[in-house]
């Protein structure tokens, strides 16, 4: 008799759990579809004489201008894309759209944590859908953009790893996304450089993006908040790039200081 009661209780619990996941899955799908429709209808930013980058012979995206170059930086947008946070997601996306529309930048750089695949707070671990919502927004705004990875973008328990999310940004055919996975012989994904040249062909500014990784190996799930850092291979890559660009500047002009200014963007 007791066994039958226990079995009935377990059956009821199982039904409740199944119903819970079924209902929240439907809410998640409907909410994400609604938010996607809204970002797809965002008006394109009107930028007079918008700068268009070209990929040079070494594979670096390069803007050419003798004027100021405006970068807008965002960080920790934390798109959850789950049943618990659709309203918050839309507020975050609308805030990004409003600032980009107002500032009309030449380039937008997000320094990590576009995604927030934390199930207890977002209701999902689907970090690809989170990335898709942001990418769709930026492509519809029509402003050039790139990202660096933060600790939340590819949590150990999220559906997709860093290589897969990097592949999404780099190879989805986006018109305005300048993200590149970067050299395979250094640590991380998204180590990249975007150069600014003047009309003389001189590199006046190099914009570096670094993958500062997520957590240290002994805290791979991040429960102890033991954050990782930029590795020596990345520092050496940066050094080699600056030396290469300095040599290039010497070859094209007699600049008093051929070392291009450089700015680094990263999360941790």
């Amino acid at each position: 008799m007791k066994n039958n009661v226990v079995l009935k209780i377990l059956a009821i619990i199982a039904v409740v759990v199944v119903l819970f996941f079924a209902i929240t899955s439907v809410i998640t799908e409907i909410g994400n579809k609604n938010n996607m429709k809204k970002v797809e209808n965002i008006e394109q930013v009107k930028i007079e004489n918008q700068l268009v980058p070209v990929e040079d012979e070494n594979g670096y995206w390069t803007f050419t201008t003798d004027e100021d170059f405006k970068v807008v930086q965002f960080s920790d947008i934390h798109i959850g894309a789950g049943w618990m946070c659709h309203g918050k997601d839309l507020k975050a996306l609308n805030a990004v759209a409003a600032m980009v529309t107002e500032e009309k930048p030449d380039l937008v750089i997000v320094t990590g944590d576009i995604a927030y695949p934390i199930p207890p707070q977002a209701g999902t671990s689907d970090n690809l859908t989170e990335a898709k919502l942001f990418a769709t927004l930026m492509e519809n705004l029509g402003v050039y953009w790139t990202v660096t990875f933060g600790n939340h973008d590819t949590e150990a328990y999220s559906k997709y790893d860093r290589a897969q999310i990097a592949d999404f940004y780099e190879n989805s055919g986006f018109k305005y996304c300048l993200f590149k996975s970067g050299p395979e012989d250094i640590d991380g994904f998204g180590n990249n450089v975007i150069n600014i040249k003047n009309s003389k062909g001189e590199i006046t500014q190099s914009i570096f993006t670094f993958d500062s990784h997520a957590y240290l190996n002994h805290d791979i799930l991040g429960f102890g908040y033991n954050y990782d850092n930029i590795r020596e291979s990345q520092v050496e890559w940066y050094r080699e790039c600056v030396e290469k660009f300095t040599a290039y500047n010497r070859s094209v002009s007699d600049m008093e200081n051929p070392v291009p200014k450089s700015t680094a963007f990263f999360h941790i």
Side-chain angles (χ1 to χ4, degrees):
M1 192 69 171
K2 288 182 178 180
N3 288 339
N4 288 337
V5 172
V6 171
L7 288 173
K8 286 180 180 179
I9 293 173
L10 291 175
I12 291 171
I13 293 173
V15 169
V16 170
V17 170
V18 169
L19 284 174
F20 173 80
F21 281 105
I23 292 170
T24 55
S25 294
V26 171
I27 294 173
T28 293
E29 184 173 357
I30 292 172
N32 285 334
K33 283 184 177 179
N34 288 338
N35 281 352
M36 185 64 79
K37 286 180 181 178
K38 288 174 181 177
V39 297
E40 286 174 344
N41 289 320
I42 290 285
E43 289 188 14
Q44 184 170 346
V45 179
K46 295 178 175 60
I47 302 177
E48 189 175 350
N49 300 317
Q50 183 178 23
L51 298 177
V52 178
V54 297
E55 200 168 8
D56 69 14
E57 64 276 7
N58 296 308
Y60 301 117
W61 287 112
T62 303
F63 290 86
T64 299
T65 181
D66 292 324
E67 307 297 328
D68 290 339
F69 187 86
K70 180 186 280 190
V71 176
V72 163
Q73 177 192 1
F74 294 102
S75 191
D76 298 79
I77 298 170
H78 286 187
I79 299 170
W83 65 276
M84 300 172 73
C85 57
H86 290 127
K88 294 178 183 178
D89 289 348
L90 190 58
K91 288 179 181 178
L93 291 164
N94 282 336
V96 170
M99 285 185 273
V100 172
T101 301
E102 175 66 23
E103 292 297 330
K104 297 177 175 56
D106 298 300
L107 178 66
V108 169
I109 301 178
V110 187
T111 49
D113 286 6
I114 285 176
Y116 194 70
I118 312 296
Q121 293 176 283
T124 183
S125 60
D126 185 0
N127 51 338
L128 180 58
T129 295
E130 295 158 356
K132 284 180 178 178
L133 280 164
F134 183 79
T136 302
L137 171 70
M138 292 306 305
E139 289 296 298
N140 279 277
L141 286 172
V143 175
Y144 291 99
W145 60 284
T146 190
V147 307
T148 71
F149 285 126
N151 51 299
H152 288 312
D153 289 296
T154 57
E155 294 279 3
Y157 43 82
S158 56
K159 287 187 177 181
Y160 302 91
D161 62 22
R162 245 169 170 68
Q164 291 170 309
I165 299 298
D167 181 71
F168 165 73
Y169 284 132
E170 184 173 14
N171 297 312
S172 294
F174 296 130
K175 178 178 179 180
Y176 295 97
C177 182
L178 305 185
F179 178 89
K180 290 189 176 187
S181 294
E184 295 181 359
D185 59 344
I186 66 174
D187 293 293
F189 294 88
N191 301 297
N192 192 26
V193 58
I194 297 169
N195 282 325
I196 316 300
K197 289 183 178 180
N198 60 24
S199 57
K200 299 177 182 178
E202 302 162 342
I203 299 174
T204 56
Q205 181 81 41
S206 294
I207 296 172
F208 288 87
T209 58
F210 289 92
D211 181 356
S212 54
H213 310 284
Y215 308 102
L216 297 175
N217 289 335
H218 67 273
D219 185 29
I220 197 68
L221 296 178
F223 294 156
Y225 303 102
N226 295 297
Y227 298 111
D228 207 335
N229 51 263
I230 294 171
R231 313 279 174 75
E232 185 58 37
S233 67
Q234 296 167 280
V235 175
E236 183 59 30
W237 165 75
Y238 164 74
R239 184 182 294 113
E240 290 173 355
C241 285
V242 172
E243 291 173 353
K244 183 191 304 181
F245 300 152
T246 301
Y248 167 82
N249 275 347
R250 287 197 180 102
S251 72
V252 297
S253 74
D254 55 355
M255 300 172 67
E256 183 176 341
N257 181 11
V259 182
K261 297 177 182 178
S262 59
T263 307
F265 290 84
F266 51 93
H267 186 70
I268 298 171

